[in-house]
Structures are given as C-alpha cells and as structure tokens.
Amino acid sequence: MFAKSLTWVESRLHLEPAMERAMDHPVPRYVTMLHCFGGLTFFTFLLQVSTGIVMAFFYVPTPDHARASVAYFQEEVAFGSFVRNLHRWGASAMVVLVVLHMLRVLVHGAYRKPREMNWVVGMVLLMMVLVFGFTGYLLPWDQKAYWATNVGVNIAAVAPFVGGFIANFLRGGPSLGALTLTRFYALHVFVLPIIVAVALALHFAMIRKQGIARPL
Amino acid sequence: MRRRVASQMQFPGVETPARRALPIPTLGEPVTRRGFLQRVLGWVTAAILATIGVPAAVMAVSPALRKSKSEWSPVARLGEPGPGEADLSAVGEPILADFKIVRGDAYIAPRLEQVPVYVINRGEGKFTIYDVRCSHLGCPISWDTKKSQFVCPCHSGVFDMEGKVVSGPPPRPLDRYEAKVEDGILYAGAMSKGGGGA
C-alpha cells in the first residue's frame, strides 16, 4: 500500500540496516516466555504515556476543579471512561509486571557481573514506577486519594532525622492541600516521565550491549 | 532431485502428445515462515495501536464537536416590565436589554450569566434580538440615536438597524437570537451567526 512512499524515504535515508539491526536482532535459544515481562512493562509504560497525555487535555490540578474535571471527562467525554480505566488498570498492571520482571532477573541471577549497573538502573526504574503510582493516586482528589496520600506522607515522615523534611517536601508545607496536588501533578507528568525515559534508554542500551544473561 | 513423471499409457497406433511440464502457479513470492510471522506481528501491533489510539484520539478531539445548548430565556414582560427589565414598548428603536441564562462550562458548575442584547420592537408582536458583540472581534456595540446606527468603539464597525454592515472591518452582520412572545413575555432562544454562517 505504501510501497512507493517507503521506497522514496528509503532511497534518501537508507534506514533498512538500522531497522534490521533493531527488528531482526538474533536472540539466544535460552530465552523463554519468562523473559517477556520487561518488554511488557515497557508496553504498559507506553500505554500510560499515551492515555496520560489524552487525560491531560482535561485534567486540572487544583482542589477546586480536580475532582470535577475527572468526573467530567469520565462521564461526559467520548471514551473518557475507557481511557481513564486503561490508565488506572495499566498502572496496576505495570507494577505487577515490573515486579515479575525483577523477580525473573533475580531468580536467573541475571544481576551478576557484568550486569550490576543494569540491575541498579532497573531498581531505579522499579522505584519510579512505585512513585508514579503514589503520585497518580492523589490526582483524582477524592476521599480515597486524599487519605491514601495522607497515610503515605506520614509513612515517609517516620524516616529518622530527615522524615519531617521529606513529608513537608512532599506536601509542600505542613499540611496536605493545594500545593500537594500541584507538586504531585508536576512529579507525575513532568519529572517522573523524564527520569524514566532516560533510565529506560540506559536500561535498553546496556541490555543490547551485554546481551541477555544465560540462566543459572 | 529428478522430478518423477507419472507414466503415461501408450496405445498402439495412437499418437499421444508429449507431456509438457506446466509451470507451477504461484502468487508472487512464496510465503516464508519468517514473512508470515512478520505480517502477523505487524497486524497484531496495528490492532493494539488502534485499540488504544482510536479512543485516545476521539477523546482528545471530541470537545471540538460540542454544541452549545440553548433554551428560551425570558427577556422582559411586555407592556408592564418588571423590576430591572427593559421597557420594549417603543417600536422601531433598539433598546438595550438583557436576559439570564444558565451557562455550564465543562466541569465548572453551571452559573447564571447575564447576556446583554439589543431588542428592536418591530410592532405587531415581532421582535429582533441582536447580540451586542460586534461580529468583528467581539467588542460591545452601542446604538447611536443620532445616526440611527450601531457603532463598535474598538475598530469603528458600523451596522444598520437590520444588523447589516455599513462600514468598517466586521466580516458579517450582527449575531441574533431567536425571539418569541408567549403570555406577554418576550423570550430569547438560540443564537445564530449573522449572515447565516455557522
């Protein structure tokens, strides 16, 4: 269907070798279904990014309008409920999949030399997924969101010496309110995606360089 | 490998034409396992992208298709206007009036909004209701009694009594509201763009 256009682009950019390197990469025989969890986690990440961007067309991170704006696109906008639920279930799926991925790497001993650095980057990614979940949970600004965040921040406050400061940092002050919502929003849609994108690039570059570990 | 040819029965005295090997009909390139899997993977990927992409795109675009709802709002009681209502008894003279509508804006709670309009009593129970916003860039017009024209202060747009552009930059006539009289009360309805455009 697009053969002519493809030829046109190809004759100018010569992408074929790069595509072949990416798509026809040989994979060792010992790769099994257990090795799919990392890729599936990446898929859920892409799902979260795309559904999240669309919801950002409607969501307003203020105490006055957050709840109403979520209710509005959930109930009044075409596919609003579908997209929000994809994001909501995708978030849970992402946590499950990233933990399964981590367990598989652990059980296979794939974290050992020479892949220690990739394990550390993976741990950062795992933490970021959890922070994604924590910050996203507040955004609907309903009772569950408010009190779950209250609990989460109070858990952080228990940390010795710096706990009080961490809690205040998360809340944007001594009490949970408008600033908490905006900073959780900023973390959720700007800071975390950038951190995760950079860490993912490192994660993928290292696995490409080092290859998939032989299981024990 | 030598191709095995089915033996052909021979009859004495009968000339049998020699069999010719027919080319095997093919549909372009033969399908390899790799090619088949590539194609399946491609279509599955496309299906997943469509499942996510189509709802996402529709959701993002759908507010563009929203239509404004309109109901009939009372402007004034004719003959004996109530407090705050305009006296519309003068025929053939634009009178500044207003009506209230409940305007809901997406997730923002509906609230009463005052809509200023120019009402012209055409006599015999006929009324014309103009939106006060100039069709150029939306500044409020006012009726110049001396010139018998609507004048916009921003860019000198001028309209006549029929809402038509006399001079200045406005691209189309004044917007107007549907008007109806019921039980001695003038109601304003849906707004239509001047000149019939959408």
Side-chain angles (χ1 to χ4, degrees):
Chain A
M1 186 166 29
F2 305 111
K4 259 195 159 164
S5 320
L6 283 178
T7 320
W8 190 90
V9 173
E10 182 59 29
S11 67
R12 270 141 255 255
L13 292 178
H14 309 294
L15 295 170
E16 188 108 14
M19 283 299 288
E20 247 165 45
R21 260 210 312 285
M23 305 299 287
D24 293 346
H25 185 70
V27 171
R29 283 212 160 267
Y30 48 77
V31 167
T32 66
M33 282 297 190
L34 286 176
H35 289 77
C36 72
F37 294 124
L40 286 175
T41 310
F42 180 55
F43 170 74
T44 54
F45 176 67
L46 297 180
L47 175 73
Q48 297 305 89
V49 169
S50 42
T51 52
I53 287 174
V54 178
M55 287 196 294
F57 276 65
F58 298 91
Y59 178 72
V60 183
T62 70
D64 281 350
H65 296 315
R67 175 84 194 85
S69 66
V70 172
Y72 172 73
F73 73 71
Q74 161 117 12
E75 282 153 29
E76 310 272 332
V77 176
F79 286 113
S81 150
F82 180 76
V83 169
R84 175 149 113 96
N85 276 299
L86 271 186
H87 199 77
R88 183 203 183 288
W89 290 98
S92 299
M94 193 175 184
V95 172
V96 170
L97 289 167
V98 78
V99 168
L100 287 174
H101 176 55
M102 185 269 281
L103 286 175
R104 193 233 101 214
V105 171
L106 185 72
V107 169
H108 279 177
Y111 52 85
R112 296 169 304 164
K113 193 186 171 188
R115 298 185 177 79
E116 307 97 315
M117 284 192 296
N118 217 4
W119 170 262
V120 171
V121 172
M123 279 296 127
V124 170
L125 281 165
L126 173 66
M127 297 298 165
M128 290 306 119
V129 170
L130 297 180
V131 179
F132 254 126
F134 180 58
T135 50
Y137 209 71
L138 177 68
L139 301 185
W141 201 248
D142 51 13
Q143 288 291 325
K144 192 164 70 167
Y146 185 91
W147 293 107
T149 303
N150 199 49
V151 168
V153 171
N154 283 338
I155 290 172
V158 181
F161 307 115
V162 290
F165 176 75
I166 291 174
N168 282 348
F169 172 78
L170 288 173
R171 280 190 299 245
S175 59
L176 212 164
L179 288 187
T180 323
L181 186 55
T182 42
R183 52 182 45 223
F184 271 45
Y185 177 73
L187 288 172
H188 193 81
V189 307
F190 297 112
V191 180
L192 291 173
I194 293 172
I195 295 175
V196 166
V198 171
L200 275 178
L202 288 172
H203 207 59
F204 293 164
M206 280 193 265
I207 191 72
R208 262 301 157 97
K209 182 89 183 166
Q210 299 176 318
I212 296 164
R214 185 175 285 278
L216 288 174
Chain B
M1 206 172 87
R2 218 171 64 85
R3 190 174 288 236
R4 204 186 294 173
V5 181
S7 59
Q8 203 166 2
M9 226 183 239
Q10 298 287 331
F11 299 99
V14 177
E15 196 77 18
T16 332
R19 268 213 177 168
R20 280 180 55 211
L22 291 168
I24 300 162
T26 54
L27 296 166
E29 289 291 299
V31 176
T32 58
R33 191 170 98 124
R34 192 180 185 74
F36 172 76
L37 288 174
Q38 262 174 353
R39 211 167 290 180
V40 169
L41 188 66
W43 282 109
V44 169
T45 309
I48 291 172
L49 288 181
T51 313
I52 300 165
V54 171
V58 170
M59 182 181 172
V61 170
S62 67
L65 309 173
R66 283 199 302 166
K67 291 210 172 73
S68 57
K69 281 180 284 184
S70 60
E71 281 152 32
W72 292 100
S73 318
V75 180
R77 181 170 288 279
L78 304 171
E80 36 174 322
E85 289 180 0
D87 184 355
L88 304 174
S89 51
V91 176
E93 175 80 1
I95 292 156
L96 192 59
D98 58 58
F99 61 89
K100 292 183 183 67
I101 55 165
V102 178
R103 203 188 292 277
D105 183 6
Y107 49 83
I108 294 172
R111 55 185 160 204
L112 271 182
E113 198 169 289
Q114 211 149 19
V115 181
V117 287
Y118 267 106
V119 181
I120 304 173
N121 188 345
R122 305 282 188 190
E124 295 167 4
K126 294 262 191 300
F127 290 87
T128 309
I129 306 176
Y130 290 122
D131 196 67
V132 297
R133 286 171 296 180
C134 178
S135 61
H136 178 220
L137 292 171
C139 294
I141 53 162
S142 57
W143 178 250
D144 187 325
T145 333
K146 281 183 205 149
K147 293 183 191 159
S148 277
Q149 282 171 332
F150 291 107
V151 182
C152 176
C154 290
H155 307 99
S156 304
V158 179
F159 304 86
D160 65 13
M161 179 90 92
E162 302 310 313
K164 292 200 189 87
V165 182
V166 175
S167 65
R172 57 185 160 79
L174 288 172
D175 300 337
R176 55 173 78 194
Y177 292 88
E178 279 182 288
K180 73 168 180 185
V181 178
E182 230 173 67
D183 301 329
I185 299 170
L186 173 67
Y187 290 88
M191 193 186 78
S192 58
K193 296 278 183 195

